[in-house]
Short mmCIF file of all heavy atoms in Angstrom, two decimals:
data_model
loop_
_atom_site.label_atom_id
_atom_site.label_comp_id
_atom_site.label_asym_id
_atom_site.label_seq_id
_atom_site.Cartn_x
_atom_site.Cartn_y
_atom_site.Cartn_z
N GLU A 1 0.82 -1.19 0.00
CA GLU A 1 0.01 0.00 0.00
C GLU A 1 0.87 1.26 0.02
O GLU A 1 1.91 1.30 0.65
CB GLU A 1 -0.93 0.00 1.19
CG GLU A 1 -2.02 -1.03 1.13
CD GLU A 1 -3.00 -0.96 2.30
OE1 GLU A 1 -2.55 -0.79 3.45
OE2 GLU A 1 -4.21 -1.12 2.07
N LYS A 2 0.43 2.26 -0.74
CA LYS A 2 1.12 3.55 -0.78
C LYS A 2 0.73 4.38 0.42
O LYS A 2 -0.44 4.69 0.64
CB LYS A 2 0.78 4.28 -2.08
CG LYS A 2 1.57 5.55 -2.27
CD LYS A 2 1.21 6.20 -3.64
CE LYS A 2 2.03 7.45 -3.88
NZ LYS A 2 1.68 8.06 -5.17
N VAL A 3 1.74 4.72 1.25
CA VAL A 3 1.52 5.36 2.54
C VAL A 3 2.20 6.73 2.59
O VAL A 3 3.30 6.89 2.09
CB VAL A 3 2.02 4.46 3.69
CG1 VAL A 3 1.97 5.19 5.02
CG2 VAL A 3 1.19 3.19 3.74
N SER A 4 1.52 7.69 3.20
CA SER A 4 2.17 8.99 3.48
C SER A 4 1.96 9.29 4.99
O SER A 4 0.96 8.96 5.57
CB SER A 4 1.58 10.10 2.63
OG SER A 4 0.20 10.27 2.93
N LYS A 5 2.97 9.90 5.57
CA LYS A 5 2.97 10.21 7.00
C LYS A 5 2.84 11.72 7.20
O LYS A 5 3.40 12.53 6.48
CB LYS A 5 4.26 9.73 7.66
CG LYS A 5 4.43 8.22 7.64
CD LYS A 5 3.73 7.57 8.80
CE LYS A 5 4.07 6.10 8.95
NZ LYS A 5 3.43 5.47 10.11
N SER A 6 2.07 12.08 8.24
CA SER A 6 1.96 13.46 8.67
C SER A 6 1.80 13.45 10.18
O SER A 6 0.75 13.17 10.72
CB SER A 6 0.77 14.14 8.00
OG SER A 6 0.66 15.48 8.45
N GLY A 7 2.91 13.72 10.87
CA GLY A 7 2.88 13.62 12.33
C GLY A 7 2.66 12.16 12.74
O GLY A 7 3.37 11.28 12.25
N ASP A 8 1.68 11.93 13.57
CA ASP A 8 1.35 10.55 13.98
C ASP A 8 0.39 9.87 13.02
O ASP A 8 0.13 8.67 13.17
CB ASP A 8 0.72 10.56 15.38
CG ASP A 8 1.73 11.04 16.45
OD1 ASP A 8 2.95 10.83 16.25
OD2 ASP A 8 1.27 11.66 17.46
N ASN A 9 -0.13 10.57 12.06
CA ASN A 9 -1.12 10.03 11.14
C ASN A 9 -0.46 9.24 10.01
O ASN A 9 0.54 9.69 9.45
CB ASN A 9 -2.01 11.13 10.58
CG ASN A 9 -2.76 11.87 11.63
OD1 ASN A 9 -2.23 12.71 12.33
ND2 ASN A 9 -4.05 11.57 11.76
N THR A 10 -1.07 8.13 9.68
CA THR A 10 -0.66 7.33 8.51
C THR A 10 -1.78 7.25 7.51
O THR A 10 -2.82 6.65 7.77
CB THR A 10 -0.28 5.89 8.97
OG1 THR A 10 0.78 5.94 9.94
CG2 THR A 10 0.20 5.06 7.76
N TYR A 11 -1.59 7.91 6.38
CA TYR A 11 -2.65 7.98 5.35
C TYR A 11 -2.31 6.96 4.25
O TYR A 11 -1.19 6.94 3.73
CB TYR A 11 -2.74 9.39 4.76
CG TYR A 11 -3.09 10.44 5.77
CD1 TYR A 11 -2.11 11.32 6.27
CD2 TYR A 11 -4.39 10.56 6.24
CE1 TYR A 11 -2.42 12.27 7.21
CE2 TYR A 11 -4.72 11.53 7.19
CZ TYR A 11 -3.73 12.38 7.67
OH TYR A 11 -4.05 13.32 8.61
N ILE A 12 -3.27 6.11 3.96
CA ILE A 12 -3.08 5.03 2.99
C ILE A 12 -3.85 5.42 1.71
O ILE A 12 -5.08 5.64 1.75
CB ILE A 12 -3.59 3.71 3.55
CG1 ILE A 12 -2.89 3.38 4.89
CG2 ILE A 12 -3.37 2.57 2.52
CD1 ILE A 12 -3.52 2.28 5.66
N ARG A 13 -3.15 5.48 0.62
CA ARG A 13 -3.75 5.86 -0.64
C ARG A 13 -4.49 4.71 -1.30
O ARG A 13 -4.02 3.58 -1.29
CB ARG A 13 -2.64 6.36 -1.61
CG ARG A 13 -3.12 6.80 -2.98
CD ARG A 13 -3.85 8.10 -2.90
NE ARG A 13 -4.05 8.71 -4.24
CZ ARG A 13 -4.96 8.31 -5.11
NH1 ARG A 13 -5.78 7.33 -4.82
NH2 ARG A 13 -5.06 8.92 -6.25
N VAL A 14 -5.73 4.95 -1.74
CA VAL A 14 -6.40 3.88 -2.50
C VAL A 14 -5.64 3.69 -3.82
O VAL A 14 -4.79 4.48 -4.18
CB VAL A 14 -7.89 4.24 -2.79
CG1 VAL A 14 -8.67 4.27 -1.50
CG2 VAL A 14 -8.02 5.53 -3.57
N MET A 15 -5.93 2.60 -4.48
CA MET A 15 -5.20 2.25 -5.70
C MET A 15 -5.08 3.43 -6.65
O MET A 15 -6.03 4.19 -6.85
CB MET A 15 -5.89 1.08 -6.37
CG MET A 15 -5.16 0.60 -7.62
SD MET A 15 -5.71 -1.06 -8.14
CE MET A 15 -4.87 -2.08 -6.93
N GLU A 16 -3.91 3.57 -7.23
CA GLU A 16 -3.60 4.67 -8.15
C GLU A 16 -4.67 4.78 -9.26
O GLU A 16 -5.05 3.79 -9.89
CB GLU A 16 -2.23 4.48 -8.79
CG GLU A 16 -1.70 5.71 -9.49
CD GLU A 16 -1.32 6.83 -8.52
OE1 GLU A 16 -0.91 6.51 -7.37
OE2 GLU A 16 -1.44 7.99 -8.90
N GLY A 17 -5.20 5.99 -9.48
CA GLY A 17 -6.14 6.20 -10.52
C GLY A 17 -7.61 6.04 -10.08
O GLY A 17 -8.51 6.20 -10.88
N VAL A 18 -7.79 5.68 -8.80
CA VAL A 18 -9.15 5.49 -8.29
C VAL A 18 -9.50 6.61 -7.34
O VAL A 18 -8.68 7.05 -6.53
CB VAL A 18 -9.28 4.13 -7.56
CG1 VAL A 18 -10.65 3.95 -6.95
CG2 VAL A 18 -8.99 2.98 -8.49
N LYS A 19 -10.73 7.13 -7.45
CA LYS A 19 -11.20 8.21 -6.60
C LYS A 19 -12.28 7.70 -5.63
O LYS A 19 -13.11 6.91 -6.01
CB LYS A 19 -11.78 9.33 -7.44
CG LYS A 19 -10.81 10.00 -8.39
CD LYS A 19 -11.49 11.08 -9.22
CE LYS A 19 -10.51 11.71 -10.19
NZ LYS A 19 -11.17 12.77 -11.02
N ILE A 20 -12.22 8.22 -4.40
CA ILE A 20 -13.32 8.04 -3.45
C ILE A 20 -14.28 9.19 -3.69
O ILE A 20 -13.95 10.34 -3.41
CB ILE A 20 -12.82 7.99 -2.02
CG1 ILE A 20 -11.81 6.87 -1.79
CG2 ILE A 20 -13.99 7.84 -1.02
CD1 ILE A 20 -11.15 6.87 -0.40
N THR A 21 -15.46 8.90 -4.20
CA THR A 21 -16.34 9.97 -4.64
C THR A 21 -17.38 10.40 -3.56
O THR A 21 -18.02 11.42 -3.74
CB THR A 21 -17.10 9.55 -5.89
OG1 THR A 21 -17.81 8.31 -5.66
CG2 THR A 21 -16.13 9.36 -7.06
N GLY A 22 -17.51 9.65 -2.46
CA GLY A 22 -18.40 10.03 -1.41
C GLY A 22 -19.11 8.88 -0.81
O GLY A 22 -18.77 7.72 -0.98
N CYS A 23 -20.19 9.22 -0.04
CA CYS A 23 -20.97 8.22 0.67
C CYS A 23 -22.47 8.52 0.48
O CYS A 23 -22.88 9.70 0.52
CB CYS A 23 -20.61 8.25 2.15
SG CYS A 23 -21.60 7.17 3.20
N ASN A 24 -23.26 7.51 0.21
CA ASN A 24 -24.70 7.72 0.00
C ASN A 24 -25.39 8.26 1.24
O ASN A 24 -26.33 9.08 1.16
CB ASN A 24 -25.37 6.39 -0.38
CG ASN A 24 -24.92 5.88 -1.75
OD1 ASN A 24 -24.25 6.59 -2.50
ND2 ASN A 24 -25.29 4.64 -2.07
N GLU A 25 -24.93 7.82 2.41
CA GLU A 25 -25.65 8.13 3.66
C GLU A 25 -25.05 9.35 4.42
O GLU A 25 -25.74 9.93 5.26
CB GLU A 25 -25.61 6.92 4.60
CG GLU A 25 -26.24 5.66 4.04
CD GLU A 25 -25.30 4.88 3.12
OE1 GLU A 25 -24.09 5.22 3.09
OE2 GLU A 25 -25.78 3.92 2.47
N ILE A 26 -23.81 9.68 4.12
CA ILE A 26 -23.09 10.71 4.93
C ILE A 26 -22.60 11.78 3.98
O ILE A 26 -21.76 11.50 3.08
CB ILE A 26 -21.95 10.10 5.72
CG1 ILE A 26 -22.49 9.01 6.67
CG2 ILE A 26 -21.21 11.17 6.48
CD1 ILE A 26 -21.42 8.18 7.31
N PRO A 27 -23.01 13.06 4.15
CA PRO A 27 -22.48 14.13 3.29
C PRO A 27 -21.07 14.55 3.71
O PRO A 27 -20.62 14.22 4.83
CB PRO A 27 -23.48 15.26 3.50
CG PRO A 27 -23.99 15.02 4.91
CD PRO A 27 -24.02 13.52 5.08
N GLY A 28 -20.42 15.28 2.87
CA GLY A 28 -19.12 15.83 3.21
C GLY A 28 -17.95 15.03 2.64
O GLY A 28 -18.14 13.99 2.02
N ASP A 29 -16.73 15.52 2.89
CA ASP A 29 -15.56 14.88 2.34
C ASP A 29 -14.80 13.98 3.30
O ASP A 29 -13.71 13.52 3.01
CB ASP A 29 -14.58 15.97 1.78
CG ASP A 29 -14.14 16.97 2.86
OD1 ASP A 29 -14.54 16.78 4.03
OD2 ASP A 29 -13.39 17.88 2.53
N VAL A 30 -15.40 13.75 4.49
CA VAL A 30 -14.80 12.83 5.47
C VAL A 30 -15.86 11.83 5.91
O VAL A 30 -16.98 12.24 6.31
CB VAL A 30 -14.23 13.59 6.69
CG1 VAL A 30 -13.67 12.60 7.74
CG2 VAL A 30 -13.17 14.57 6.31
N ILE A 31 -15.53 10.55 5.82
CA ILE A 31 -16.50 9.50 6.17
C ILE A 31 -15.84 8.66 7.29
O ILE A 31 -14.79 8.04 7.04
CB ILE A 31 -16.82 8.60 4.96
CG1 ILE A 31 -17.33 9.48 3.79
CG2 ILE A 31 -17.89 7.56 5.35
CD1 ILE A 31 -17.11 8.84 2.43
#
């Protein structure tokens, strides 16, 4: 998995070229 670090946070990138477009039940850019 492609990982980036920021402080104590570890962010894992979804597969290259794929976008997370949202959630049916929850609005906003954080789910």
Side-chain angles (χ1 to χ4, degrees):
E1 289 183 319
K2 186 176 180 180
V3 172
S4 63
K5 295 277 190 177
S6 179
D8 295 330
N9 298 77
T10 301
Y11 300 103
I12 303 167
R13 180 71 167 79
V14 294
M15 182 164 285
E16 194 69 31
V18 177
K19 298 178 181 180
I20 301 174
T21 56
C23 175
N24 294 349
E25 301 82 10
I26 301 168
D29 60 1
V30 178
I31 307 155

